[in-house]
Amino acid sequence: MILNRLKRVFRHRSSVYLDYNATTNICKEVQKTMKRSMKHHWGNPSSGYRIGKKANKVLEQARTRVAKSINARPHEIYFTSCATESNNAILKSLSLQFYPKKKKIISTPIEHSSIIYTLEYLETQGIVVENCPVDSYGFVQPEVLSSMIDEDTFLVCCMLANNELGTVQNIKEISKIAKDKGVLILSDCVQALGKIPIDVRDLGVDYASFSAHKIYGPKGIGALYARITAPMIQFIHGGHQEEGLRGGTESIHNIAGFGTACQQIGILIQKTEEMVELKDYFEREVKAIYPDVVINSPVVNGVSNTLSLSFPGIQNNELMMMLDSNGIAVSSGSACSSQENKPSHVLKAIGLSDDVAQQTIRVSFGVDTTKKKLKYVLTVLEKYLKERASSSDVPQRNFEMEKFAR
Ligand code: PLP
């Protein structure tokens, strides 16, 4: 009865989206800015006449807004097409500059695929990559990382917040270690922006990467922060844009949207407490429904919106498909790796077996998540688990699942 009523509410009006770490919807303020920009600021920002200058003004205003949101200076911000590009640009530029004088990068095994696969490529070019192990919640031990830095090391690469677990690293301490040893540091801050306050100067990082679509901005626009004196070479050859580092006419409407999204970060941060309450509520209720559930996300030093949950004995694609058929969107981990159909490298790095990793889902909350929506999710989950338990000793062929697997 209750479930049917809730289903009517959520299925027909809109689905329950719990995958905000994959991407976010474009908020109204950003939409407004982008529409205005498309209408009025379509000029080429490099053109010297009025219509070009108008576009250039929007470009620089957005740069200032992005910079302000992370306490950087505007000329330390370079716009890119996405955070994947930012990570590629930093890692490849630095490798080109340091190799063969220095060859080593220290990274972690839980980085995003845009770091992991770029490093894999760089290894084929002679760069040596060593991963600092993480504990069962994904935390790097700074003293272990410190012991791995040697004369051959030119870069430490460690994300601020992990996309699958929500784990927030002690980047300030890691930066200090890198600095003391004369090594540069890159931090992928994509999943931290809008979830925790970011002050790049206080963190002490030399480079950082950001993406607009994780903070209710548009897709296809990212940023690269490079501290004013940190080395950086041209990474897209072409025009003189972005201080000569990245050729190509800037996507003004996307950049303007990114700027506006950054202006909303204060509001997002204010929602943190509310989000923690929702996360605690959800975790508590899931545990009540399914006591065997394992929470992989850390209790302290984690972002407020992310929960990684393992359901022993239940395949995550089965669970996700059941939730999807009820209008609920969750994921098994990073959207960028979801096509690979392999156990998550993050979950394996924290010690989960392949089997348990494939029994794990990630839920990530956003501004539209409410207790009412979570109640619906819990009701659907409870019904499914009860039905599953009562039919567990009767083996059944699941044709739907077979379709999904193909
Ligand atoms: N880094 C992290 C931690 C991410 O979660 C993502 C996106 O999922 C990226 C980098 C890549 O961002 P983009 O989609 O802008 O390339």
Side-chain angles (χ1 to χ4, degrees):
M1 268 295 275
I2 298 172
L3 181 60
N4 284 341
R5 201 162 359 105
L6 285 167
K7 262 186 184 172
R8 271 201 301 277
V9 173
F10 291 112
R11 240 206 198 144
H12 301 301
R13 207 192 303 146
S14 63
S15 55
V16 180
Y17 184 71
L18 295 182
D19 200 15
Y20 286 87
N21 283 7
T23 196
T24 57
N25 53 304
I26 302 183
C27 70
K28 277 202 192 94
E29 292 78 3
V30 171
Q31 285 182 32
K32 247 195 255 167
T33 299
M34 291 179 73
K35 271 187 200 153
R36 199 170 45 243
S37 188
M38 279 191 270
K39 196 169 173 191
H40 301 293
H41 312 130
W42 49 267
N44 189 322
S46 299
S47 301
Y49 41 78
R50 209 185 304 168
I51 190 94
K53 284 183 180 160
K54 222 166 135 182
N56 191 266
K57 197 173 162 199
V58 173
L59 169 65
E60 294 314 321
Q61 187 185 54
R63 198 186 307 282
T64 303
R65 289 174 177 170
V66 173
K68 201 171 167 202
S69 72
I70 56 166
N71 195 27
R73 300 175 186 121
H75 45 281
E76 292 175 316
I77 300 295
Y78 300 90
F79 287 114
T80 60
S81 64
C82 56
T84 296
E85 184 191 322
S86 304
N87 286 335
N88 267 263
I90 299 161
L91 292 171
K92 289 175 183 169
S93 291
L94 290 177
S95 298
L96 264 178
Q97 269 184 290
F98 281 94
Y99 186 84
K101 251 184 156 175
K102 291 193 178 205
K103 299 189 196 65
K104 197 156 115 184
I105 298 177
I106 313 278
S107 188
T108 86
I110 61 165
E111 298 298 307
H112 184 260
S113 54
S114 56
I115 296 276
I116 300 247
Y117 290 129
T118 306
L119 291 177
E120 253 182 51
Y121 161 73
L122 289 170
E123 281 183 301
T124 67
Q125 306 300 303
I127 296 293
V128 175
V129 178
E130 282 183 13
N131 278 331
C132 178
V134 292
D135 69 14
S136 60
Y137 286 115
F139 290 108
V140 163
Q141 305 306 319
E143 52 298 344
V144 176
L145 186 136
S146 175
S147 70
M148 294 171 72
I149 299 175
D150 61 16
E151 286 294 301
D152 203 26
T153 309
F154 62 92
L155 183 71
V156 164
C157 175
C158 182
M159 69 203 317
L160 181 52
N162 181 265
N163 44 317
E164 294 188 36
L165 304 166
T167 309
V168 177
Q169 304 288 353
N170 188 348
I171 293 296
K172 202 171 166 175
E173 191 177 339
I174 295 170
S175 291
K176 191 176 176 314
I177 290 168
K179 198 148 288 163
D180 288 348
K181 300 208 174 198
V183 171
L184 294 163
I185 174 160
L186 155 65
S187 187
D188 175 336
C189 295
V190 169
Q191 292 291 347
L193 192 65
K195 295 176 186 135
I196 56 171
I198 298 182
D199 179 333
V200 283
R201 279 194 237 172
D202 184 53
L203 287 175
V205 294
D206 298 293
Y207 307 94
S209 48
F210 301 94
S211 185
H213 75 95
K214 308 289 184 180
I215 55 161
Y216 307 89
K219 288 161 191 62
I221 188 75
L224 178 169
Y225 159 79
R227 188 177 47 73
I228 189 71
T229 53
M232 193 70 205
I233 54 173
Q234 189 172 16
F235 55 93
I236 299 239
H237 293 87
H240 57 273
Q241 291 91 348
E242 299 302 296
E243 302 286 328
L245 292 194
R246 184 185 191 269
T249 306
E250 296 91 342
S251 176
I252 295 299
H253 60 289
N254 276 335
I255 289 172
F258 193 4
T260 299
C262 284
Q263 283 187 303
Q264 313 297 313
I265 283 176
I267 299 170
L268 297 181
I269 301 286
Q270 275 172 21
K271 284 191 176 276
T272 306
E273 249 174 63
E274 212 177 293
M275 207 82 87
V276 170
E277 273 172 33
L278 287 175
K279 190 168 89 161
D280 289 349
Y281 163 74
F282 191 75
E283 183 178 329
R284 211 170 42 244
E285 293 299 314
V286 173
K287 278 180 180 160
I289 295 171
Y290 196 75
D292 289 343
V293 73
V294 179
I295 310 293
N296 304 306
S297 300
V299 182
V300 286
N301 296 328
V303 291
S304 56
N305 82 319
T306 309
L307 257 186
S308 168
L309 310 129
S310 299
F311 291 84
I314 304 176
Q315 290 302 301
N316 54 14
N317 54 5
E318 178 188 328
L319 198 52
M320 286 186 309
M321 195 174 69
M322 180 282 296
L323 290 169
D324 187 33
S325 68
N326 285 283
I328 300 160
V330 304
S331 72
S332 58
S334 164
C336 294
S337 310
S338 61
Q339 302 300 318
E340 288 181 1
N341 213 11
K342 282 196 304 196
S344 144
H345 66 276
V346 173
L347 300 177
K348 286 184 75 172
I350 62 167
L352 267 55
S353 66
D354 284 8
D355 282 349
V356 178
Q358 286 182 314
Q359 293 162 355
T360 302
I361 59 164
R362 172 189 73 185
V363 293
S364 47
F365 304 152
V367 290
D368 291 326
T369 309
T370 59
K371 199 163 177 184
K372 192 170 172 188
K373 289 182 181 178
L374 294 184
K375 257 186 194 155
Y376 168 62
V377 177
L378 291 160
T379 313
V380 169
L381 194 60
E382 185 171 20
K383 181 172 179 281
Y384 165 77
L385 292 169
K386 270 192 186 148
E387 283 173 2
R388 201 175 185 280
S390 62
S391 64
S392 63
D393 26 42
V394 188
Q396 286 177 352
R397 192 171 185 85
N398 190 336
F399 293 103
E400 274 301 308
M401 271 303 298
E402 286 183 357
K403 251 196 301 181
F404 190 75
R406 266 184 260 136

